[in-house]
Amino acid sequence: MKRKIENFWRKYFLSLDENFYEIEPSEIMPEKVFIASGHIKNFVDTIVICKKCKADFRADHLVEEKTKESAEHLTDKQLTKKIRELKIRCPKCGGELGGVNYLNLMFPLKIGSNDKGYLRPETAQGCYVAFKRMFGATREKLPLGLAIIGKAFRNEISPRQGTYRMREFTQAELQIFFDPDKINECESFEEVENYKLKVKFSDQKRVDEIPCKKLLYKLPKFYVYYLAKVQQFYLDLLKIKPENFRFRELSKDERAFYNKYHFDVELFTPRFDNFKEIGGVHYRTDYDLKRHEKISGENLHITIDNKKFIPHVLELSFGIDRNFYSLLELSFSNKILKLNPKVAPFTIGIFPLVNRDNLYEKGDELYKELKKEFDCFFDSSGSIGRRYARADEIGTLYCITIDYKTLEDNTVTIRDRDSTKQVRIKISELGDIVEKLVDMEITFEDIGKIVKTRKKKEGYRI
Amino acid sequence: MKRKIENFWRKYFLSLDENFYEIEPSEIMPEKVFIASGHIKNFVDTIVICKKCKADFRADHLVEEKTKESAEHLTDKQLTKKIRELKIRCPKCGGELGGVNYLNLMFPLKIGSNDKGYLRPETAQGCYVAFKRMFGATREKLPLGLAIIGKAFRNEISPRQGTYRMREFTQAELQIFFDPDKINECESFEEVENYKLKVKFSDQKRVDEIPCKKLLYKLPKFYVYYLAKVQQFYLDLLKIKPENFRFRELSKDERAFYNKYHFDVELFTPRFDNFKEIGGVHYRTDYDLKRHEKISGENLHITIDNKKFIPHVLELSFGIDRNFYSLLELSFSNKILKLNPKVAPFTIGIFPLVNRDNLYEKGDELYKELKKEFDCFFDSSGSIGRRYARADEIGTLYCITIDYKTLEDNTVTIRDRDSTKQVRIKISELGDIVEKLVDMEITFEDIGKIVKTRKKKEGYRI
C-alpha cells in the first residue's frame, strides 16, 4: 500500500508539467551541503535534561503540553524562562529540570576514513545540488521540476505519535525551479480559476472556501495554481471528504525565515481529534541556490533569453508515512477500509464457495490468471460472509465467488466493497471490467447495465 | 528507468509464490541486530596504510592487481606476508606500506542520545528480524517469502568501478523461509525440469548447459527451481543474450561459511571485458534465525503439523545499480538502446513533422492525451531523422509522427525502434496498440496485418 501511494503521487505530480522529473540522489551527503542549507546551524531542537534522573525531553513540547499553545518558535532562553515560570518539572520523576540547550537533529557519519557527512534530514537539498546539471540535461527550460521520493532521517529526541514523528521516514518532495519575474504567469490557471480552495489564514480562526482567482490579491498565480493541484489530489483523486482537508497558513513566527509563503497541507486525524500537517507548499525564493552558490563556489546563475538570474523555488513537500496513516484512518469505518482503488492493498479476493467438487481448483486457476495483472488473494477458509468481512477490513475492492453455476457456464459473482452489491458476469469479461472499474472509467452500477444489454442481445430472458 | 527495474523485479519475484510479500523495515538498525548477524565481527575489509603519504588502500585489491587472482579470502596476516613477498609499494607515492588491518564497513550511528546503531549493510537482516511477526500475520504457512527493495550502505575504503562499488546502493532481496525437510519438494518443478541452466561450477573452467533435473544429483529441488526462475528472468523477460549470462558457483574459500550453496548471478560486462556479479542465490540454512534467537532471546522456532523447528532460508539477492548498468551496456549497440519495453525510460516520442500549419498543436494535444497512460516525450526541434536518432539513443520504443495527412484523416505513422519499420495507423487505435506491444501480446509486424485486415473490411484499396 505504501508503494502504491508513492506510485500514485509520482504519476500525478510528475505529470503536472512535461518538464518535471524524478531523480535519486544519495541519502548520505557531505557536510558542505548542510553548511550551505543552514542545517548545521539551524536544524536543532531544544532539549532539557532532568537534573535528578537524567532523562531528556523536548523543551518546546513540555511547554506546549502545559500551555496548549505552539512553542516551537521560542529560543532556548525563552524556553528556560517559561519552564521556570510555569514550574514545569520532570514528567518521569518530578525532579528539577536543567537549562534548555540546542541539539542538532542530523545523524553525523564519517565517510571513508576522513570525510564528514550526514544522513539527509529532508530530500530537498539533493535537488538543489543537482539543479545545474539537470537544467543542462533537460535543454535549459524553466519551470523545471525535480522530485525525490525517498528516505529522510532526523535524530528525534522523543519519536512519538506513530508515523508522525519517526527517526527514519519517507518524503515525496517536488522542487519547482522558475523565473521569479514570471511568478504571476501560469498557462493553465484558467482550469482552476473558479475552483474553491479551503484555506485557514494565519490571522483567522475559520476555514474559508475561496475561488483561486480571488486569492490573487495576496498570492501569486503560480503559487495558487499549485495549491489547487494539491487540493485536487486529495479531494478528487484520493476522495478525502472536503471537511477533512485544509490549507493552513503559517504565521511569520512559525515558518522558516526564507519561506515567503508557507501553507501546510492538513488532514483531520481522528486519533488526535485535530488537523495534522501531512505536507506543505513552500515558496523558498532563491535562498537555497544562493547559499549553495556561496558555499560551493559553483556559479548557479542561469541565462535564459539574455537574462542572467538565479531561479526561485516552489516546494511541494509530503510525508508519505503520515499520508499513509491518515488515509487509513479516514478510510476506515464500520469495519470497511474504503480506500481509493489505486492505493487499496488488494484489488480482488477470490473465494470458492466450498472446497470440494472442483470448486477449489477452479478458483485457484482463476487466481493464478488474475494475479498476473491485479493484486489478488485467494481465500478458501470460513463461511463466505466471514471471507467478505475479512476482505472488506483490508480494503479489497472486489470479491469473486466461484460456485456450482461457475462450473456449468463459466460465470462468477463479483461483489463491490462499497455497495456490497453483487452481479454475475462471465469469467472472460472479468479482467476487462475490473480494469475499467479501477481506472474509474465505469462504476459498479454500469456492470449491471452492460450485462443486461448483452443478455438482451443474446436473447436471454432477464 | 531505475524505478522501472525495481517494479519489474517486484512484479516478477513476488508473483513466484502466493505467500511472498514486500516489507519495508528501517535502514538504521540497532547494534544487537548486527551482533547477531555477525557483521560487527566479520564484516570487515583489509586496509593497509602508506607509511609515507598516509593514503589508505584495500590490501586484498593491491594483491589481486599484482597476482590477478582472488585474494578476498586471505587473512590480515596472510595479506601482510603477500605484500612483503610481492614487494608491493604505495600506488600513490611509491612509499613503504604498513601492516594490514581490519576495518568494519558499517556506518555507525548514535540513535537518540545514547543507543548505538548502524546503517544496514544488506537488507536481509530486516527480514529475519521481522520473520516471526510476518509468519503470524500471514496465517503461519511455509514457504514464506519476504522481499525488501531498498538502500544498503557500506563505508568502502575505495569506492570504484561506477555503480559496482558504491557506499550507498540499492538492493532487491527476497528471503524465502522454508521447512528444511521439504528442500527436495517443489510443486512446480515440472515446469522447469528440462530447462537448461548455464552453470560454471567452482571446480571447472567452462560453462555447462544442464537441464534442471540433471542438477538434482548435487543440488536440492527447491534450490534448482529458483535458479531456473532467476535465469528465466534474465533470458526470457529482460532478453539478455544467453552467452552474456551465467551462474558461477563459489568455492568454499570464497563463500560465507554459513552458505551451504552459493551461486553468483553474473552478466558479461563489456566495460570490464569480463563476467561481473550482479546477484546471488544463497542457501543460508538456519544460521541467521538461530543467531537472532540466541542474541535476542526471542524464540524463533515455529510449529507446523506438530513439528517444532527453525525454518531455513533461501536468499535471492540482486544489486539494482549493477543490474541497471549492465542492462544499459548490454542493450546499447549502434547508437540504439534496445531495452525491454518494461524498463525502457520512454515508451513513446511524439514529433510534429514541422512546427507550423497546426501540426505542432496537433502533436501537443496527442502528447497530453498519451502521457496520461505512457511515458512520453514531445520533440519538435531538428529534422525527423535527428529526432529518431535522439529517441533511439535513449531507448524510446515507438516514435509517432504527425504530418499533413494527420490533419486530414487523424492517422499518424508509428515507427518501431528495433526494426525502424513504420506503419500508418489511426490515432484512435494508438493507445490500444501500444499497450499490446508493451505487454508483448502482439509484435510490430502484427500491426501491419491488423491494419491490412481492417482496410480490406472497410473496402480500402491496399
Side-chain angles (χ1 to χ4, degrees), chain A residues 14-191:
Chain A
L14 290 185
S15 70
L16 290 180
D17 188 298
E18 63 186 76
N19 204 30
F20 286 3
Y21 307 92
E22 183 180 0
I23 61 174
E24 192 189 276
S26 58
E27 296 175 6
I28 300 175
M29 302 189 84
E31 185 175 37
K32 257 195 164 179
V33 169
F34 300 110
I35 293 174
S37 71
H39 281 94
I40 298 278
K41 201 176 150 200
N42 302 319
F43 196 60
V44 290
D45 265 353
T46 47
I47 183 173
V48 62
I49 297 175
C50 170
K51 286 182 176 172
K52 200 168 146 201
C53 78
K54 307 293 172 204
D56 46 18
F57 306 93
R58 278 271 302 259
D60 52 342
H61 286 175
L62 291 185
V63 172
E64 279 171 8
E65 275 162 30
K66 198 86 174 184
T67 63
K68 308 289 173 205
E69 277 169 25
S70 171
E72 223 181 315
H73 57 287
L74 298 178
T75 66
D76 53 347
K77 293 203 179 73
Q78 288 170 324
L79 284 167
T80 305
K81 208 176 141 201
K82 278 266 181 203
I83 286 174
R84 302 279 171 265
E85 280 172 16
L86 297 165
K87 298 197 172 109
I88 299 173
R89 299 185 69 90
C90 172
K92 261 197 185 155
C93 75
E96 196 191 337
L97 295 170
V100 174
N101 282 306
Y102 289 114
L103 189 83
N104 196 296
L105 288 186
M106 289 192 294
F107 286 103
L109 290 170
K110 211 168 76 173
I111 307 175
S113 50
N114 271 318
D115 296 328
K116 234 176 142 174
Y118 292 89
L119 286 173
R120 64 182 181 199
E122 61 176 19
T123 68
Q125 302 306 321
C127 295
Y128 306 143
V129 173
F131 166 70
K132 196 73 184 273
R133 198 149 42 108
M134 287 301 294
F135 181 69
T138 54
R139 301 209 199 160
E140 312 203 336
K141 283 175 293 186
L142 289 187
L144 166 65
L146 299 180
I148 295 177
I149 301 177
K151 289 283 177 81
F153 303 84
R154 298 179 182 183
N155 198 4
E156 299 284 352
I157 296 161
S158 48
R160 53 180 191 167
Q161 299 183 329
T163 60
Y164 283 82
R165 196 167 297 281
M166 301 200 292
R167 289 193 174 122
E168 181 180 328
F169 51 99
T170 303
Q171 288 291 102
E173 299 184 348
L174 172 64
Q175 313 294 323
I176 308 171
F177 301 85
F178 65 96
D179 178 349
D181 291 343
K182 296 189 176 170
I183 196 166
N184 275 308
E185 293 173 26
C186 176
E187 229 183 274
S188 316
F189 192 78
E190 260 181 43
E191 274 175 39

Side-chain angles (χ1 to χ4, degrees), chain B residues 341-359:
Chain B
K342 296 285 189 188
V343 299
F346 288 103
T347 307
I348 302 177
I350 294 157
F351 311 149
L353 186 65
V354 290
N355 290 325
R356 52 176 191 272
D357 303 332
N358 232 14
L359 289 179

Side-chain angles (χ1 to χ4, degrees), chain A residues 187-236:
Chain A
E187 229 183 274
S188 316
F189 192 78
E190 260 181 43
E191 274 175 39
V192 301
E193 61 179 5
N194 294 311
Y195 183 75
K196 285 183 186 168
L197 292 181
K198 303 197 45 155
V199 181
K200 185 193 165 299
F201 289 104
S202 61
D203 54 1
Q204 290 182 345
K205 291 239 172 215
R206 69 169 192 280
V207 177
D208 290 320
E209 294 203 23
I210 309 173
C212 287
K213 63 181 174 193
K214 291 216 172 146
L215 278 166
L216 298 183
Y217 78 98
K218 64 186 290 180
L219 295 169
K221 228 176 197 176
F222 193 72
Y223 188 84
V224 174
Y225 175 74
Y226 282 100
L227 286 181
K229 288 292 150 187
V230 168
Q231 180 170 314
Q232 285 174 349
F233 180 69
Y234 285 93
L235 302 197
D236 301 351

Side-chain angles (χ1 to χ4, degrees), chain B residues 22 29 34 56 63 66 139 197 231 278 336 378 421:
Chain B
E22 183 180 0
M29 301 188 84
F34 300 110
D56 47 19
V63 172
K66 198 86 171 184
R139 301 208 202 160
L197 292 182
Q231 180 170 315
I278 48 98
I336 304 175
F378 181 76
K421 279 185 186 159

